[in-house]
């Protein structure tokens, strides 16, 4: 099943429909969150409403990232609007966030960083 999802993600990225693929993954990410009441953005580490979360490509599409479950994470609107197509390291540096702590939080979520 995971292999099929990865294949589908590669096809979506190839066809320049990454946004469509991202919406599918966002739905999966939302379903995987058990505690929707006390959700924290893994980038800024602030309590936010999960309903306003947005799916982010940890490794941006324009840098070769894919719309896969492993490469995407739910983050708050503010972080998503500031990150845009930046790499995670550049984003953390621009926002004065601790890159290593962000990586630790992402790894706890099972993401490859």
């Amino acid at each position: 099943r995971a292999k099929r999802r990865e294949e589908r993600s590669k096809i979506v990225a190839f066809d320049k429909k990454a946004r469509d693929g991202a919406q599918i993954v966002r739905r999966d990410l939302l379903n995987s969150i058990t505690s929707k009441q006390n959700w924290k953005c893994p980038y800024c580490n602030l309590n936010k409403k999960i309903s306003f979360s947005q799916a982010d490509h940890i490794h941006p599409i324009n840098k070769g990232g894919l719309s896969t479950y492993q490469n995407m994470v739910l983050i708050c609107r503010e972080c998503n609007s500031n990150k845009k197509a930046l790499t995670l390291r550049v984003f953390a540096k621009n926002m004065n966030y601790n890159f290593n702590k962000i990586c630790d939080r992402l790894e706890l979520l099972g993401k490859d960083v």
Side-chain angles (χ1 to χ4, degrees):
R1 186 173 177 181
K3 187 171 181 119
R4 278 194 314 234
R5 282 187 183 171
E6 186 169 322
E7 288 171 356
R8 182 176 49 182
S9 296
K10 288 177 182 177
I11 290 168
V12 168
F14 182 76
D15 288 340
K16 305 279 190 229
K17 294 182 182 173
R19 297 285 175 218
D20 294 340
Q23 289 305 320
I24 294 167
V25 176
R26 182 182 188 278
R27 187 180 61 233
D28 292 344
L29 289 168
L30 276 171
N31 290 335
S32 72
I33 305 253
T34 54
S35 177
K36 292 181 172 63
Q37 298 299 325
N38 296 319
W39 179 77
K40 284 186 175 186
C41 172
Y43 291 176
C44 65
N45 203 35
L46 297 175
N47 284 325
K48 302 285 181 152
K49 289 188 178 203
I50 191 76
S51 57
F52 296 126
S53 66
Q54 298 178 344
D56 176 59
H57 292 85
I58 298 167
H59 187 72
I61 292 174
N62 68 345
K63 306 252 190 290
L66 298 174
S67 295
T68 63
Y69 188 83
Q70 279 303 114
N71 187 46
M72 295 187 70
V73 65
L74 293 176
I75 63 172
C76 68
R77 281 184 187 173
E78 294 82 10
C79 284
N80 198 33
S81 66
N82 287 317
K83 184 170 180 279
K84 300 174 186 167
L86 299 174
T87 63
L88 187 56
R89 184 180 298 279
V90 171
F91 165 73
K93 186 176 182 180
N94 288 352
M95 299 299 293
N96 292 318
Y97 293 158
N98 185 320
F99 174 73
N100 291 325
K101 290 197 186 263
I102 293 173
C103 289
D104 290 343
R105 290 190 290 267
L106 290 174
E107 287 173 353
L108 286 173
L109 294 172
K111 305 299 177 182
D112 294 331
V113 183

